[in-house]
């Protein structure tokens, strides 16, 4: 079967020349779409041929009774519902789907979700969804994509980069979710839901062995301690992997990872109406980090860069020492006509990162200790309806208290020990409610409101070295700021059932993300707002053998928070944060799933996004003689105009010998701009990605063996590209190369 799938040469593309090729094709979109269409044809042809072979062995491929798409239950509306009944654009991945698609963390998730883009490293990452992103990656800023772990909002982005283990599912809600998910959900919400204790014994474990000496071990045991009343679930993760980078200057391999994690959950049901869930988890990530790689000559006497972006010359060996922990208690009380819940949580993030900031063998700039220490306490009360009827509602109160300590030191002749410390205390209060009323058996109306009060007290101190000031010692420059923003956000929606198997919906919602601070910048930047209009439909077709969902949206984006380049007036050595006047984002998303014949499962999506600044001007410090440049009409950074996903798998029943399932996933993303100026130095070329796998399951379901290969193209594609803020050259962040491995899993 795999021989029918076209695969590219394994030789790496010379990413150093990407910028020079950026404008070589007058129609890059047409050029890029030809490849995915060829792959789609090959995938479908291969799967149908395989299906035909299995049909010849006597399987009735016309039988649909066992060929229906299973119902997926999610909590996107803060209550359990079938995903096909929720008027929201949402992507959902079960534990099996996460394994099959190689989704082990947030970075890998981007290859399966329309409009999602993730760039950065384990400590600092930028998540973009439908053009809504984050420019300030320090503790002074927050992401526009709200991330939740088991219902607990995580203010620090690092929580989303920890490895996944013992998961129930992952939900990605696309579009503003400010009413129910609250603060900083202007672009959407990502929910990680772990497996909870059950009242039956279960034990699972798997071991993955892969190239780059990768070893990944996961396991879980579920213990029913008292029938229908007390259950305990304990799970763990252990992962080691060598790095992808060959540092020929220091003669060592870099970029390795060491991840460890555990989770313990205790469920107590003293009565049939009350459940108490206690959870404690901790994850660590270590290794020697490579933040980026030089793509062009960085100047100042440095040696020419290697054509292979995984061959580097860096004189400063980076390191990572990161810890994330979360502990929470949740009470759920069934009051017959309604349900009350209380969720109390504490989370702590401690990130310590060191890396070569000039990406060369020259001793120019080293980030010798960038540290984020954050603690947060959250409390949420909810009361929601629990009876069948024409009215469904939910009410909630929310409180968050967060304390951040952010610090860093830049060594080398350029910055001579320039350092900073930042302390940020945040208090956020909110009250919200949402109700859906069925006016008829076909027409429903939804309305929701949320009041938010965000308070931030900050103190940051910049320490200027003697070489900057001419003084005999470091000069501290403190800045204190008190900020308070109050906002009301909401949603109005309508849903109309076309039939028992399909409906259309329309909504208007308002999103809000609070302002923040940037080190060395006297004045804070202000909140940003989105008014989002969306029309969509969800359809179950062919008697339950197909699903087709669509969404069309328009965003009126006001006061977008942007990071202007270094050297801009009023900023620091790392630039300044400000608010662009306005932007407009429009898009179309189509996702589908189809079971055309017995045992064949095909799914995919296609997304179009157009994100442009309506009014925005700034200085390009590379060309200061041009003065303030009008960037109106330029594309918003980190947005692919087109993205495409196709996945297929075919189940071959071998009788008593077991089950064999080959699969293939294909993803393609259009060109992406990394900066506001939309020049070739910031352009990241289109990216194809093909993953294949072959899984064998024993007939009794007690064990399985799964072989996989990720990223067949092996093109060392760029995830991010930019000119250096202090050196005359360009650097980039490169995706992982082709990897392969085998996983053995057992279940008792």
């Amino acid at each position: 079967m795999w021989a029918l799938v076209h695969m590219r040469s394994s030789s790496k593309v010379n990413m150093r020349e990407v910028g020079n090729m950026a404008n070589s094709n007058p129609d890059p979109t047409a050029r890029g779409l030809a490849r995915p269409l060829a792959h789609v044809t090959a995938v479908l042809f291969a799967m149908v041929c395989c299906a035909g072979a299995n049909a010849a062995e006597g399987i009735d491929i016309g039988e649909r009774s066992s060929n229906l798409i299973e119902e997926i239950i999610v909590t996107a509306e803060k209550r359990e519902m079938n995903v096909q009944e929720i008027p929201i654009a949402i992507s959902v991945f079960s534990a099996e789907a996460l394994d099959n698609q190689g989704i082990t963390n947030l970075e890998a998730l981007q290859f399966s979700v329309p409009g999602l883009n993730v760039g950065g490293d384990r400590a600092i990452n930028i998540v973009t969804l439908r053009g809504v992103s984050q420019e300030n990656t320090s503790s002074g800023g927050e992401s526009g994509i709200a991330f939740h772990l088991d219902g607990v909002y995580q203010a620090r982005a690092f929580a989303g980069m920890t490895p996944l283990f013992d998961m129930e599912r992952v939900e990605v809600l696309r579009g503003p979710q400010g009413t129910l998910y609250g603060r900083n959900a202007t672009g959407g919400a990502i929910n990680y839901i772990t497996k909870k204790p059950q009242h039956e014994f279960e034990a699972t474990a798997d071991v993955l062995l892969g190239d780059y000496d990768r070893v990944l071990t996961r396991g879980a045991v579920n213990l029913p301690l008292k029938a229908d009343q007390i259950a305990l679930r304990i799970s763990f993760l252990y992962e080691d992997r060598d790095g992808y980078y060959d540092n020929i200057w220091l003669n060592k391999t870099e970029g390795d990872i060491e991840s460890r994690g555990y989770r313990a959950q205790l469920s107590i049901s003293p009565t049939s109406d009350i459940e108490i869930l206690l959870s404690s988890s901790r994850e660590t990530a270590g290794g020697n980090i490579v933040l980026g790689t030089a793509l062009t000559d960085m100047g100042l006497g440095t040696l020419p860069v290697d054509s292979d972006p995984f061959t580097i010359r860096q004189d400063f060996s980076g390191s990572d020492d990161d810890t994330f922990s979360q502990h929470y208690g949740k009470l759920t009380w069934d009051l017959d006509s309604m349900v009350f819940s209380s969720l109390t949580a504490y989370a702590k993030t401690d990130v310590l990162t060191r890396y070569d900031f000039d990406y060369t063998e020259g001793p120019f700039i080293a980030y010798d200790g960038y540290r984020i220490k954050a603690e947060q306490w959250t409390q949420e009360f909810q009361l929601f309806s629990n009876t069948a009827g024409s009215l469904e509602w939910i009410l909630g109160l929310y409180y968050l208290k967060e304390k951040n300590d952010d610090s860093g030191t830049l060594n080398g002749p350029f910055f001579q020990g320039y350092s900073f410390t930042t302390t940020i205390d945040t208090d956020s209060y909110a009250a919200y409610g949402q109700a859906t009323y069925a006016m008829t058996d076909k027409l429903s109306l939804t309305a929701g409101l949320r009041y938010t009060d965000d308070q931030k007290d900050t103190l940051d101190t910049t320490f200027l070295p003697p070489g900057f000031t001419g003084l005999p010692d470091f000069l501290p420059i403190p800045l204190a700021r008190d900020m308070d923003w109050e906002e009301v956000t909401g949603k109005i929606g309508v849903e109309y059932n076309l039939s028992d198997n399909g409906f259309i919906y329309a909504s208007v919602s308002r999103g809000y993300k609070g302002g923040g601070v940037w080190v060395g910048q006297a004045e804070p930047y202000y909140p940003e707002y989105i008014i989002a209009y969306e029309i969509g439909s969800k359809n179950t077709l062919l008697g339950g053998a197909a699903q087709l969902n669509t969404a069309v949206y328009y965003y009126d984006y006001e006061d977008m928070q942007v990071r202007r380049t270094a050297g801009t007036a009023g900023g620091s050595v790392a630039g300044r944060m400000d608010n662009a006047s306005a932007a407009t984002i429009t898009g179309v998303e189509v996702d589908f799933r189809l079971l055309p014949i017995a045992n064949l499962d095909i799914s995919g999506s296609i997304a179009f996004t157009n994100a442009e600044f309506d009014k925005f001007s700034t200085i390009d410090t590379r060309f200061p003689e041009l003065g303030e440049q009008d960037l109106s009409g330029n594309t918003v950074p980190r947005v692919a105009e087109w993205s495409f996903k196709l996945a297929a798998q075919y189940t071959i029943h071998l009788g008593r010998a077991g089950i064999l399932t080959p699969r293939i996933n294909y993803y393609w993303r259009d060109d992406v701009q990394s900066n506001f100026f939309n020049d070739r130095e910031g352009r990241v070329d289109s990216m194809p990605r093909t993953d294949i796998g072959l899984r064998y399951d024993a007939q009794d379901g007690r064990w399985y063996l799964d072989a996989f290969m990720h990223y067949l193209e092996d093109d060392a594609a760029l995830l991010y590209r930019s000119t250096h803020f202090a050196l005359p050259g360009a650097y980039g962040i490169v995706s992982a190369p082709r990897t392969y491995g085998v996983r053995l899993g057992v279940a008792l």
Side-chain angles (χ1 to χ4, degrees), residues 302-379:
T302 58
L303 296 171
V305 297
D306 195 279
S307 60
D308 179 2
F310 291 107
T311 300
I312 61 175
R313 278 187 293 268
Q314 297 186 4
D315 67 303
F316 184 85
S317 184
S319 65
D320 229 1
D321 186 7
D322 311 325
T323 303
F324 169 76
S325 59
Q326 174 173 286
H327 316 282
Y328 71 85
K330 183 176 183 180
L331 167 68
T332 304
W333 187 4
D334 189 339
L335 301 172
D336 293 331
S337 62
M338 63 187 71
V339 175
F340 170 79
S341 73
S342 171
L343 179 58
T344 306
Y346 168 79
K348 183 177 181 180
T349 299
D350 191 345
V351 174
L352 178 59
T353 302
R354 304 166 72 246
Y355 49 84
D356 194 323
F357 210 6
D358 57 57
Y359 314 110
T360 73
E361 75 280 5
F364 305 123
I365 316 168
Y367 224 141
D368 194 5
Y370 175 58
R371 185 157 203 168
I372 299 174
K373 297 183 69 175
E375 294 182 279
Q376 71 170 50
W377 297 261
T378 59
Q379 174 64 56

Side-chain angles (χ1 to χ4, degrees), residues 217-262:
T217 303
R218 303 177 301 182
V221 59
N222 191 97
L223 301 172
L225 302 181
K226 186 176 181 180
D228 298 326
Q229 287 190 307
I230 303 176
L232 174 68
R233 188 176 188 91
I234 299 174
S235 52
F236 71 90
L237 171 140
Y238 174 97
E239 181 178 21
D240 277 352
R241 194 213 67 208
D242 288 346
Y244 305 135
Y245 295 90
D246 181 16
N247 189 340
I248 59 177
W249 188 258
L250 298 179
N251 193 28
K252 63 185 298 187
T253 299
E254 299 204 71
D256 64 319
I257 61 173
E258 301 171 359
S259 298
R260 311 286 186 265
Y262 82 86

Side-chain angles (χ1 to χ4, degrees), residues 10 18 89 97 118 139 254 350 379 444 453 490 492 506 563-564 607-608 622 626 647 687:
S10 62
V18 166
V118 179
S139 293
E254 299 204 71
D350 191 345
Q379 174 64 56
S444 298
D453 183 357
I492 299 176
R563 178 179 172 183
R564 298 179 188 264
F608 169 81
R622 299 168 300 173
L626 299 178
M687 176 184 182

Side-chain angles (χ1 to χ4, degrees), residues 245-316:
Y245 295 90
D246 181 16
N247 189 340
I248 59 177
W249 188 258
L250 298 179
N251 193 28
K252 63 185 298 187
T253 299
E254 299 204 71
D256 64 319
I257 61 173
E258 301 171 359
S259 298
R260 311 286 186 265
Y262 82 86
R263 184 181 304 117
Q265 301 182 88
L266 180 66
S267 175
I268 305 173
S269 299
T271 70
S272 60
D273 301 329
I274 296 177
E275 180 184 10
I276 301 171
L277 179 63
L278 304 176
S279 176
S280 177
S281 62
R282 187 175 188 269
E283 298 185 53
T284 63
N288 51 13
I289 189 173
V290 176
L291 180 67
T293 179
L295 300 177
T296 64
D297 184 359
M298 301 301 281
L300 302 181
T302 58
L303 296 171
V305 297
D306 195 279
S307 60
D308 179 2
F310 291 107
T311 300
I312 61 175
R313 278 187 293 268
Q314 297 186 4
D315 67 303
F316 184 85

Side-chain angles (χ1 to χ4, degrees), residues 57-125:
E57 296 173 4
I59 293 179
D60 181 7
I61 63 175
E63 178 62 41
R64 290 194 185 277
S65 61
S66 61
N67 201 41
L68 304 180
I69 297 176
E70 73 280 4
E71 184 179 85
I72 300 177
I73 302 299
V74 299
T75 53
E77 294 271 84
K78 296 289 188 175
R79 65 176 77 227
E80 292 187 349
M81 295 181 64
N82 182 351
V83 67
Q84 282 298 106
E85 297 176 354
I86 301 177
I88 295 175
I90 180 173
S91 301
V92 185
F93 303 89
S94 65
E96 181 180 2
L98 293 172
D99 284 345
N100 288 344
Q101 299 182 40
I103 301 174
T104 57
N105 55 29
L106 185 58
E107 181 178 340
L109 187 65
Q110 67 181 309
F111 304 119
S112 296
V113 177
L116 180 65
N117 183 282
V118 179
D121 55 62
R122 288 171 291 180
I124 307 170
N125 62 88

